[in-house]
Amino acid sequence: MEICDAENEAERVSPDEDPESNKGGAPRKNDNKDVENQDQKYEEESTKSGDRLKKKKKKKKTKMTSEDGQVNGTATENIDLLLENLEQSNSMSLQSEDCGGSIRRSVLHVEHRNLNPETELKRYFGARAVLGDQRPRQRNRHFHRSTWMTSPKDSWPRFSRPGISMTLLDSKNGIHYFTFEHNRDYQQVQFKFLEAVESMDPNNIVALLQLNPYHIDSLLQLSDVCRIQEDQEMARDLIERALYSFECAFHPLFSLTSGTSRLDYLRPENRAFYLALYKHMMFLEKRGCPRTALEYCKLILCLDPDADPLCMLLLIDFLMLRSREYKSLLQLYQDWEEHRNLSQLPNFAFSCALCHFHLSQQEDLDPEESEKQRRHADQMLQSALIMFPGVLMPLLDLCTVQPDSAVSSHSFFGPKSQIGQPPALAELTALYVGRTYSLWKEAVVMLWLEESVKEVLRRVDAKDALVEDCQNKRKQRYQSAPRNIHRHVLLSEIKEASSTLPLEVTTQPVMGFDPLPPLDSVISYTRPERQQVGASNESTLSLFFRSLLPNFNIQGGLRQEDDMEVARAGQELNQEVNRLMVAMRDMLANIRFQEPPREDNPYRDEDEWD
């Protein structure tokens, strides 16, 4: 509670507030003298900035000098530093309280400033190139709680609360469990959205958004439509609008950075927040901001680290490699291996080896440490190749590298290794190869891989005991993947992995706003029965009838609540079917086939049948 309160008070600090009110947001006293000094320094700076802003509000005859602007900017930077120091002190205090929690927080700690892509872009190109002339206006963004993840744009519709709120369900052992809730008006809009989805016409979703511009599921679904139509900018803008709507509904105790806030994916109201974060993260990664995308990946994982409903553990290693956070990835592997068996995931087995290799290539490392990292890299890569031999050939194929004949003809890495893979393992290996093959294209990395492959073949021919042990593990495990892995593959849209999905996933309809919902969902409200008829439950004949008569409903008898209405609906159904049959007979009767012209017809137009 102390951590969340301190953070929330710090988030409310604004240069427009009275400096005395800022004292309430300072953290409680503790034995750490550095934190006390930082608080004292902050109070002095905030008092100075507050005095200047009070003078600014008074009527003056003279203009403000450039020095005032510099002092105001200095106070702004000091507040940013204070927020960062508060996050660090919160993390340190939580580590001293709970050893288990400190492990996760030390690796998966989220910082507010890293949720903003401008932070990463400024690191690459400089603040002047990123912010330009809008720097003063953009800096004010940091003082509003509702704009940590996204900033409202002038092109957006005027914001009005759409009917979403957040409730604190329970608090146990310092962990707070929240859930989003929909009021009655929002539920009605949700029902209309489901009808629009079933109509298979994106224009209906657009019409719904014109009346309800901040309806979450409509924003998510329309974003997918825009992305398919290659309108990436509009797709990204719709996702940011959805995140903004969510953020305005946060509970005062809900924190993005403390690591103690949880959202249950079993509740449909919470799933849209997960999906919006995931889609925003993927847009950031494609935009060239892997470090910011990594921060969102950690945020999603911290919302439910035990269940991991979107399987972020299959993605976090790739983002850490892209961000060159090598030590963080190795620390995560070391901390979570005991209770999550990360070594049994192909992505961690290969990515951790790649981490050690990159660390061994750093120039500022002393020779002994470099040699140690290289030995670790060789051992881990060889173990990964022995455990997951089906990774090598697809990886080389995507890297456009022709393997040596001794490798391609060997039974260990040949076609047999691909065919003999269990279904779940084939899905995991295809996902890893399709996502990270670009990281293995470097010439120095490929040479290292070649050396390891030769050593693995030598160990296989020498009947190494590890080879047989890994073979037995592959046969016993990976027979079926859990539902969250299938959900992750669908969201990733990696074609190599999507082709390995089982039939029970590919044969059922997948909705972009809720892909593969949990089978044990916690439902808080349901649609009226008349609206439960979807295109997915209709036969081919029913779909054909609906294409001719949009109002046709094969289950029209379920439209009314009482028995009288049910009977009347059944009669209407029979009448609709009869009218349909009459219309089809008239259509067939009016069809006229034009006879082909005879060759002896002198009046035939030469271009008529061309």
Side-chain angles (χ1 to χ4, degrees):
M1 289 295 294
E2 177 182 349
I3 302 304
C4 293
D5 292 342
E7 182 185 28
N8 292 328
E9 292 294 337
E11 291 176 74
R12 299 189 188 101
V13 174
S14 171
D16 293 332
E17 295 179 353
D18 192 291
E20 293 181 359
S21 64
N22 290 341
K23 295 179 182 179
R28 300 177 182 177
K29 288 186 177 181
N30 52 28
D31 296 334
N32 193 334
K33 295 182 180 180
D34 294 336
V35 177
E36 292 180 356
N37 294 335
Q38 292 171 358
D39 295 343
Q40 183 178 1
K41 180 179 178 181
Y42 164 65
E43 290 179 2
E44 295 175 357
E45 294 293 342
S46 62
T47 303
K48 292 179 182 179
S49 61
D51 292 341
R52 290 195 176 275
L53 288 171
K54 282 186 176 180
K55 293 178 182 179
K56 183 180 179 181
K57 292 179 180 179
K58 295 180 181 179
K59 294 182 179 180
K60 296 181 182 180
K61 293 183 179 180
T62 60
K63 296 182 179 179
M64 181 180 293
T65 61
S66 60
E67 294 179 357
D68 292 334
Q70 293 176 357
V71 173
N72 194 13
T74 304
T76 299
E77 294 176 356
N78 290 334
I79 293 176
D80 289 339
L81 292 175
L82 172 74
L83 292 176
E84 182 179 353
N85 292 333
L86 277 176
E87 291 174 352
Q88 294 176 356
S89 62
N90 292 345
S91 177
M92 293 174 60
S93 60
L94 283 172
Q95 289 178 10
S96 61
E97 292 176 5
D98 184 8
C99 179
S102 65
I103 291 177
R104 292 183 179 179
R105 193 154 293 104
S106 61
V107 181
L108 302 178
H109 178 61
V110 178
E111 296 183 17
H112 277 134
R113 63 186 181 90
N114 289 331
L115 292 174
N116 184 5
E118 290 181 358
T119 303
E120 185 173 4
L121 293 175
K122 284 188 289 187
R123 191 183 306 127
Y124 297 152
F125 307 108
R128 184 179 300 275
V130 175
L131 299 178
D133 297 334
Q134 299 180 347
R135 183 170 184 175
R137 181 178 65 85
Q138 291 285 342
R139 290 176 65 87
N140 293 334
R141 173 184 52 78
H142 296 285
F143 305 112
H144 298 282
R145 176 180 174 82
S146 61
T147 55
W148 283 120
M149 295 187 292
T150 59
S151 299
K153 300 178 180 179
D154 297 336
S155 59
W156 289 0
R158 182 180 177 182
F159 179 76
S160 59
R161 295 190 178 275
I164 298 179
S165 61
M166 179 181 278
T167 303
L168 176 62
L169 296 177
D170 195 8
S171 296
K172 294 180 181 179
N173 301 323
I175 304 297
H176 308 295
Y177 299 89
F178 299 89
T179 184
F180 286 101
E181 292 183 344
H182 299 166
N183 64 12
R184 188 175 300 274
D185 293 336
Y186 193 93
Q187 293 178 15
Q188 296 301 320
V189 177
Q190 187 72 8
F191 297 154
K192 295 179 181 178
F193 163 75
L194 295 177
E195 291 179 353
V197 172
E198 291 172 355
S199 69
M200 302 181 186
D201 186 358
N203 293 324
N204 293 334
I205 301 178
V206 174
L208 184 63
L209 271 178
Q210 290 177 349
L211 299 176
N212 307 274
Y214 288 91
H215 180 254
I216 303 296
D217 285 348
S218 297
L219 293 170
L220 296 180
Q221 191 74 14
L222 191 59
S223 175
D224 287 343
V225 174
C226 293
R227 186 171 49 82
I228 293 173
Q229 296 177 351
E230 298 184 356
D231 190 352
Q232 301 295 329
E233 184 176 357
M234 177 59 69
R236 182 172 63 247
D237 187 78
L238 293 172
I239 295 298
E240 291 179 359
R241 200 197 303 180
L243 284 177
Y244 180 76
S245 182
F246 270 125
E247 206 165 357
C248 291
F250 280 173
H251 190 277
L253 291 179
F254 184 82
S255 174
L256 296 171
T257 59
S258 66
T260 59
S261 300
R262 300 286 185 269
L263 282 174
D264 190 359
Y265 195 82
L266 297 180
R267 298 179 178 271
E269 297 86 347
N270 297 337
R271 294 174 199 160
F273 185 57
Y274 278 90
L275 295 174
L277 288 174
Y278 184 92
K279 294 176 185 294
H280 186 57
M281 173 193 66
M282 297 310 297
F283 280 126
L284 289 170
E285 193 272 330
K286 293 178 181 178
R287 185 183 173 187
C289 299
R291 182 63 186 83
T292 310
L294 173 61
E295 208 71 8
Y296 278 92
C297 180
K298 294 191 293 184
L299 173 58
I300 298 173
L301 184 56
C302 287
L303 291 177
D304 194 351
D306 296 327
D308 192 11
L310 298 187
C311 238
M312 303 312 294
L313 286 178
L314 298 179
L315 174 63
I316 192 171
D317 62 299
F318 170 69
L319 294 176
M320 284 184 170
L321 286 171
R322 286 281 317 274
S323 308
R324 300 183 180 180
E325 297 285 339
Y326 304 132
K327 293 183 180 180
S328 298
L329 177 56
L330 295 177
Q331 185 67 37
L332 176 64
Y333 177 81
Q334 180 180 352
D335 295 340
W336 286 44
E337 165 63 16
E338 182 177 355
H339 64 282
R340 298 297 288 269
N341 292 325
L342 297 184
S343 60
Q344 302 306 304
L345 296 175
N347 58 310
F348 269 93
F350 283 91
S351 293
C352 287
L354 193 57
C355 271
H356 282 294
F357 177 77
H358 284 304
L359 288 175
S360 69
Q361 300 297 308
Q362 292 181 352
E363 297 179 356
D364 57 346
L365 236 62
D366 57 358
E368 293 183 1
E369 181 65 22
S370 177
E371 183 64 25
K372 179 181 178 182
Q373 293 291 344
R374 181 59 184 266
R375 286 198 302 269
H376 281 304
D378 294 341
Q379 293 174 1
M380 293 193 73
L381 181 57
Q382 292 174 22
S383 299
L385 288 170
I386 292 175
M387 183 65 191
F388 307 107
V391 171
L392 179 63
M393 299 308 292
L395 180 63
L396 295 178
D397 184 46
L398 289 179
C399 292
T400 63
V401 174
Q402 184 67 29
D404 186 80
S405 59
V407 177
S408 57
S409 61
H410 200 284
S411 60
F412 189 73
F413 288 121
K416 185 178 179 180
S417 64
Q418 303 291 321
I419 301 174
Q421 285 188 122
L425 182 57
E427 189 174 347
L428 290 174
T429 55
L431 178 68
Y432 176 73
V433 171
R435 173 175 284 151
T436 62
Y437 71 92
S438 60
L439 302 178
W440 294 84
K441 281 188 172 182
E442 297 181 41
V444 62
V445 174
M446 195 57 64
L447 289 175
W448 167 60
L449 176 62
E450 182 182 359
E451 295 174 0
S452 298
V453 168
K454 291 180 179 179
E455 179 62 22
V456 167
L457 290 180
R458 187 194 64 80
R459 295 174 61 177
V460 170
D461 295 336
K463 306 296 183 181
D464 193 320
L466 180 62
V467 177
E468 184 178 358
D469 181 56
C470 292
Q471 184 178 1
N472 294 331
K473 289 180 179 179
R474 288 196 301 272
K475 292 180 179 179
Q476 297 173 1
R477 306 170 184 174
Y478 311 106
Q479 293 302 318
S480 61
R483 196 172 180 85
N484 59 341
I485 291 182
H486 299 327
R487 188 181 301 120
H488 179 91
V489 171
L490 289 173
L491 288 173
S492 68
E493 297 182 349
I494 298 176
K495 60 180 181 179
E496 292 85 1
S498 300
S499 61
T500 62
L501 288 171
L503 288 178
E504 59 266 20
V505 175
T506 57
T507 54
Q508 62 177 294
V510 177
M511 299 299 178
F513 63 92
D514 190 9
L516 286 186
L519 300 178
D520 53 347
S521 298
V522 179
I523 306 298
S524 58
Y525 66 93
T526 57
R527 296 174 62 188
E529 290 186 354
R530 62 170 296 180
Q531 298 176 353
Q532 287 184 351
V533 180
S536 60
N537 296 327
E538 299 178 1
S539 63
T540 305
L541 181 61
S542 177
L543 290 174
F544 172 68
F545 287 164
R546 285 191 62 186
S547 66
L548 298 177
L549 293 177
N551 294 328
F552 173 77
N553 189 350
I554 195 64
Q555 298 183 8
L558 299 176
R559 289 184 175 181
Q560 308 299 334
E561 296 179 356
D562 54 13
D563 295 339
M564 295 297 296
E565 296 294 342
V566 169
R568 187 179 298 110
Q571 295 176 0
E572 294 176 357
L573 173 63
N574 293 332
Q575 294 176 1
E576 288 182 358
V577 173
N578 292 333
R579 285 196 295 267
L580 174 64
M581 299 303 296
V582 172
M584 292 182 63
R585 281 196 295 268
D586 293 339
M587 180 183 67
L588 295 175
N590 293 328
I591 293 178
R592 296 290 184 270
F593 295 97
Q594 184 175 3
E595 296 182 359
R598 297 184 303 178
E599 294 183 358
D600 58 347
N601 185 3
Y603 303 103
R604 181 175 68 90
D605 188 358
E606 295 179 358
D607 298 331
E608 181 178 357
W609 288 94
D610 290 342

